[in-house]
């Protein structure tokens, strides 16, 4: 056979094969509509997801801002409380030093009284010593009560510690400490 015959036969087979294949451009119109509907649904879904993501980002941003504001407020409050603690510790140290000084003064006074009592017994007849030493012990007036008379006056009226603190211009912890120290002085 001649080569041109082979070429013609191959061409004929290619034409028959091409005619047997379905046409690419000729799709079913229902299939096209279904594809368009699916694309539209996907676009709507993507738009909804994008909108929800934007809302989520805004929500996370506002929560982050609130937490930063809360953190700053708490840090300010902690700083204030630390200052109050430092002030209360300083006041406590001052009160401790005052109490120590007063105790030393009382010890010195007691020593003087004992020395004087010994001198009195040596210099006076026995009947007079009994009258001097048998005097009833006078309860000392609380030095704290002398320093804060308005505070104790309000306390005796039954006012609360908060109202006493407001009226006296002191902090609540200071008022409690002063009242406790007064109780301790009275029990000694």
């Amino acid at each position: 056979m001649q080569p041109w015959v082979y070429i013609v036969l191959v061409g004929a087979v290619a034409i028959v094969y091409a005619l047997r294949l379905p046409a690419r451009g000729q799709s079913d119109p229902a299939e096209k509509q279904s594809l368009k509907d699916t694309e539209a649904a996907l676009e709507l879904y993507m738009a909804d997801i994008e909108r929800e993501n934007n809302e989520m980002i805004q929500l996370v941003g506002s929560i982050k801002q609130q937490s930063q504001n809360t953190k700053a407020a708490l840090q300010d409050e902690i700083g204030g409380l630390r200052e109050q603690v430092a002030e209360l510790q300083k006041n406590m140290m001052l009160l401790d030093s005052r109490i120590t000084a007063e105790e030393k003064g009382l010890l010195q006074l007691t020593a003087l009284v004992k020395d004087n009592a010994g001198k009195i017994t040596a210099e006076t007849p026995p009947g007079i010593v009994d009258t001097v030493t048998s005097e009833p012990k006078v309860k000392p007036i609380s030095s704290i009560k002398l320093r804060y008379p308005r505070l104790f006056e309000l306390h005796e009226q039954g006012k609360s510690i908060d109202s006493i603190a407001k009226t006296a211009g002191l902090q609540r912890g200071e008022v409690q400490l002063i009242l406790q120290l007064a109780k301790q002085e009275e029990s000694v």
Side-chain angles (χ1 to χ4, degrees):
M1 261 208 265
Q2 300 280 341
W4 65 268
V5 175
Y6 289 119
I7 293 175
V8 170
L9 281 176
V10 170
V13 170
I15 290 173
V16 170
Y17 182 72
L19 291 175
R20 300 282 264 155
L21 286 177
R24 289 186 182 160
Q26 299 175 359
S27 301
D28 187 20
E31 196 175 296
K32 283 184 179 179
Q33 185 63 32
S34 172
L35 185 61
K36 286 182 181 178
D37 290 345
T38 305
E39 287 177 358
L42 285 174
E43 286 178 12
L44 285 173
Y45 179 70
M46 293 302 289
D48 284 346
I49 287 177
E50 187 174 336
R51 181 182 48 79
E52 289 175 0
N53 282 344
N54 289 336
E55 289 174 0
M56 189 69 77
I57 289 170
Q58 290 175 352
L59 181 64
V60 167
S62 67
I63 289 172
K64 183 178 178 182
Q65 183 66 34
Q66 286 176 345
S67 68
Q68 288 175 346
N69 292 342
T70 304
K71 181 181 176 183
L74 288 174
Q75 286 177 342
D76 290 343
E77 189 174 338
I78 287 171
L81 290 173
R82 284 184 178 157
E83 289 174 6
Q84 286 179 356
V85 166
E87 185 178 325
L88 287 173
Q89 285 177 340
K90 186 177 88 175
N91 288 342
M92 188 176 75
M93 296 289 271
L94 288 172
L95 288 173
D96 283 344
S97 64
R98 287 179 187 168
I99 289 172
T100 304
E102 297 223 2
E103 286 175 348
K104 286 180 182 177
L106 286 174
L107 288 174
Q108 290 174 352
L109 185 61
T110 305
L112 283 173
V113 168
K114 285 182 182 179
D115 288 344
N116 287 338
K119 290 179 183 177
I120 290 173
T121 56
E123 298 172 355
T124 57
I128 297 175
V129 173
D130 292 337
T131 59
V132 171
T133 56
S134 65
E135 289 181 16
K137 291 186 178 178
V138 178
K139 190 174 187 179
I141 297 175
S142 171
S143 61
I144 292 180
K145 286 189 175 184
L146 293 175
R147 281 187 237 146
Y148 302 100
R150 179 75 177 133
L151 186 140
F152 289 101
E153 181 181 312
L154 293 171
H155 183 66
E156 288 170 2
Q157 291 174 2
K159 301 288 184 181
S160 70
I161 291 176
D162 290 327
S163 65
I164 293 172
K166 275 186 182 177
T167 305
L170 299 171
Q171 294 183 5
R172 187 178 197 278
E174 284 183 280
V175 172
Q176 288 176 326
L177 182 64
I178 292 167
L179 292 173
Q180 287 175 351
L181 288 172
K183 285 181 185 176
Q184 286 178 353
E185 277 189 357
E186 288 175 359
S187 67
V188 172

